C-alpha cells in the first residue's frame, strides 16, 4: 500500500480555496498545468511510499496513534501561495506552524521506527499542492514552460477562515492505472487519530 500521513483541511476551508483557485484556470498557460482535485487536498506530514500492509501497517498505526496523542489540536488556516521552482504551485498554512512541524517530525519518526525506509527528503514545509507542470522531463513538443509567478501573485492574499486541526490521518494513495492524461491519484483515508488523545 502506498501511504502517507496527513492533516486534512475541513470542508469550509476547501470550499474557500476552490473559489480562489477557480479564476486561475483562466490565466495564460493554465491548460499546461495538471490541477489537483479538491477531494485530494491535504497537508502531507510524512510520505511512506509502498508499505507492507501485513507486516508494517500495525506497528506504523500504533506509532502514529502515539504521535497523535502526544500532540495537541492546533490552530491553522490556508494562507498565501508559493511555488517549487517551475514544478508546482501550492497554498501554504498559517497558525501554529511550529506545532505542525513537530507533528510532521513525529509522523516521519513513526515511519522510520516501524521500518519504513525512505531517502532523506527536503525539510518539512507545510503546503497543499494545487497544480504541477504537465509533461516535465519530456521533449520540447510538450510546449513552453508555464510561468507560475502570476498564479502565486493571484493567490498571494488568500486566507481561509481558521480552524482547529484535531486529527492525524493515514491515507492510502492509489495511482491511476489507466495512463489516461490528467487522471488523478485516488486518496482514501484508512485510519485517523485525534490529536491530544
Amino acid at each position: 500500500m502506498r501511504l502517507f500521513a496527513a492533516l486534512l483541511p475541513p470542508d469550509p476551508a476547501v470550499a474557500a480555496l476552490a473559489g480562489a483557485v477557480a479564476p486561475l484556470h483562466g490565466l495564460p498557460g493554465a491548460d499546461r498545468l495538471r490541477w489537483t482535485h479538491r477531494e485530494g487536498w491535504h497537508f502531507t506530514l510524512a510520505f511512506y511510499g509502498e508499505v507492507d500492509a501485513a507486516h508494517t501497517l500495525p506497528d506504523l498505526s500504533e506509532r502514529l496513534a502515539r504521535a497523535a496523542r502526544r500532540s495537541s489540536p492546533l490552530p491553522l488556516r490556508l494562507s498565501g501561495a508559493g511555488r517549487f521552482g517551475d514544478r508546482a504551485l501550492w497554498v501554504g498554512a498559517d497558525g501554529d506552524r511550529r506545532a505542525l512541524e513537530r507533528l510532521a517530525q513525529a509522523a516521519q519518526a513513526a515511519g522510520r521506527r516501524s521500518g519504513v525506509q525512505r531517502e532523506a527528503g527536503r525539510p518539512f514545509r507545510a503546503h497543499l499542492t494545487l497544480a504541477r507542470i504537465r509533461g516535465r522531463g519530456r521533449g520540447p513538443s510538450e510546449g513552453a514552460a508555464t510561468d507560475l509567478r502570476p498564479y502565486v501573485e493571484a493567490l498571494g492574499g488568500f486566507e481561509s477562515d481558521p480552524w482547529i486541526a484535531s486529527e492525524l490521518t493515514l491515507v492510502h494513495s492509489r495511482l491511476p492505472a489507466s495512463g489516461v492524461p490528467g487522471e488523478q491519484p485516488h486518496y482514501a483515508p484508512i485510519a485517523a487519530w485525534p490529536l491530544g488523545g
Side-chain angles (χ1 to χ4, degrees):
M1 300 178 76
R2 192 169 184 260
L3 300 176
F4 62 89
L7 285 183
L8 308 180
D11 290 340
V14 168
L17 181 58
V21 168
L24 302 183
H25 291 266
L27 291 177
D31 59 334
R32 291 193 297 269
L33 298 176
R34 193 177 69 229
W35 294 90
T36 58
H37 295 157
R38 64 189 276 174
E39 296 80 18
W41 286 347
H42 60 270
F43 290 102
T44 301
L45 301 175
F47 180 72
Y48 304 121
E50 294 293 335
V51 172
D52 182 332
H55 295 98
T56 306
L57 187 56
D59 187 40
L60 176 61
S61 296
E62 182 179 319
R63 291 178 185 280
L64 287 173
R66 190 176 311 134
R69 281 193 306 272
R70 291 178 177 165
S71 181
S72 297
L74 55 142
L76 287 178
R77 76 166 73 220
L78 300 173
S79 178
R83 62 191 173 103
F84 293 126
D86 64 351
R87 301 181 319 273
L89 171 70
W90 49 264
V91 68
D94 199 9
D96 194 343
R97 287 188 284 197
R98 182 66 192 120
L100 181 59
E101 185 175 338
R102 284 192 303 268
L103 182 59
Q105 290 168 350
Q108 292 163 11
R112 283 192 308 276
R113 291 178 181 140
S114 60
V116 176
Q117 299 298 320
R118 300 293 305 160
E119 293 179 14
R122 298 182 184 102
F124 175 74
R125 181 175 196 161
H127 71 281
L128 183 157
T129 303
L130 297 172
R132 293 179 180 87
I133 299 295
R134 269 188 209 278
R136 279 190 56 79
R138 297 184 185 168
S141 64
E142 292 295 323
T146 299
D147 183 0
L148 295 176
R149 288 176 294 189
Y151 298 85
V152 173
E153 289 171 15
L155 276 178
F158 171 75
E159 283 192 341
S160 72
D161 288 338
W163 77 89
I164 301 297
S166 60
E167 203 169 63
L168 171 63
T169 304
L170 184 62
V171 181
H172 181 195
S173 171
R174 293 182 183 97
L175 296 175
S178 68
V180 174
E183 191 173 358
Q184 300 283 322
H186 175 72
Y187 300 121
I190 59 171
W193 301 275
L195 299 182

